[in-house]
């Protein structure tokens, strides 16, 4: 009982399915992002314009325990992804992405996974 007993959290990691319940986690990671192409072009008169194509790569490992005094776990993973910065209707920034991840510890849910993402969609609102 007490405040430490109620502090259990769930941790997710790229390349691993599900979440791990843990009282603490350390996430050292190295993410590198670099441009592949500067496009600045649209498809005819359509309102979607591509601007930049980026690649990102990462390596990381989660160090954690499933409970206090349990053995230390290390869950390494690596992967890469592509990001396409676009502009919708000339003014709304939108980033499309795809990620390929691999978690090395298959006994703890690691393996190959693919993720898709859309971010940055914020519509201007005036009041």
């Amino acid at each position: 009982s007490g405040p430490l007993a109620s502090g259990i959290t769930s941790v997710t990691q790229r390349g691993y399915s599900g979440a791990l319940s843990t009282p603490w986690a350390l996430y050292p990671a190295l993410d590198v992002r670099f441009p592949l192409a500067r496009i600045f072009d649209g498809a005819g008169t359509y309102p979607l314009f591509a601007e930049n194509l980026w690649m990102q790569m990462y390596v990381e490992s989660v160090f954690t325990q499933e409970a206090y005094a349990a053995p230390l776990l290390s869950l390494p993973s690596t992967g890469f992804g592509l990001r396409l910065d676009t502009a919708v209707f000339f003014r709304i920034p939108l980033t499309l992405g795809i990620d390929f991840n691999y978690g090395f510890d298959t006994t703890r849910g690691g393996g190959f996974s693919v993720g898709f993402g859309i971010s940055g969609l914020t519509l201007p609102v005036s009041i």
Side-chain angles (χ1 to χ4, degrees):
S1 69
L4 290 178
S6 63
I8 303 296
T9 59
S10 293
V11 176
T12 59
Q13 181 185 4
R14 297 178 280 192
Y16 288 84
S17 62
L20 178 66
S21 294
T22 180
W24 67 274
L26 177 66
Y27 267 91
L30 175 65
D31 285 75
V32 178
R33 182 179 176 189
F34 54 92
L36 290 178
R38 298 182 66 92
I39 303 167
F40 297 109
D41 196 9
T45 59
Y46 296 119
L48 177 66
F49 289 86
E51 294 177 350
N52 294 304
L53 180 63
W54 299 88
M55 179 173 220
Q56 66 182 37
M57 301 182 330
Y58 77 91
V59 292
E60 70 184 9
S61 184
V62 172
F63 296 98
T64 187
Q65 293 174 309
E66 292 178 312
Y68 289 113
L72 184 66
L73 298 175
S74 173
L75 304 172
S77 66
T78 189
F80 68 95
L82 296 173
R83 298 286 181 273
L84 178 64
D85 295 331
T86 64
V88 180
F89 300 117
F90 303 105
R91 303 193 80 184
I92 302 171
L94 186 66
T95 301
L96 308 172
I98 184 169
D99 292 313
F100 302 93
N101 307 304
Y102 185 74
F104 291 99
D105 191 348
T106 56
T107 61
R108 300 226 176 251
F112 182 74
S113 65
V114 177
F116 300 94
I118 299 174
S119 64
L121 183 59
T122 50
L123 301 174
V125 176
S126 58
I127 298 175

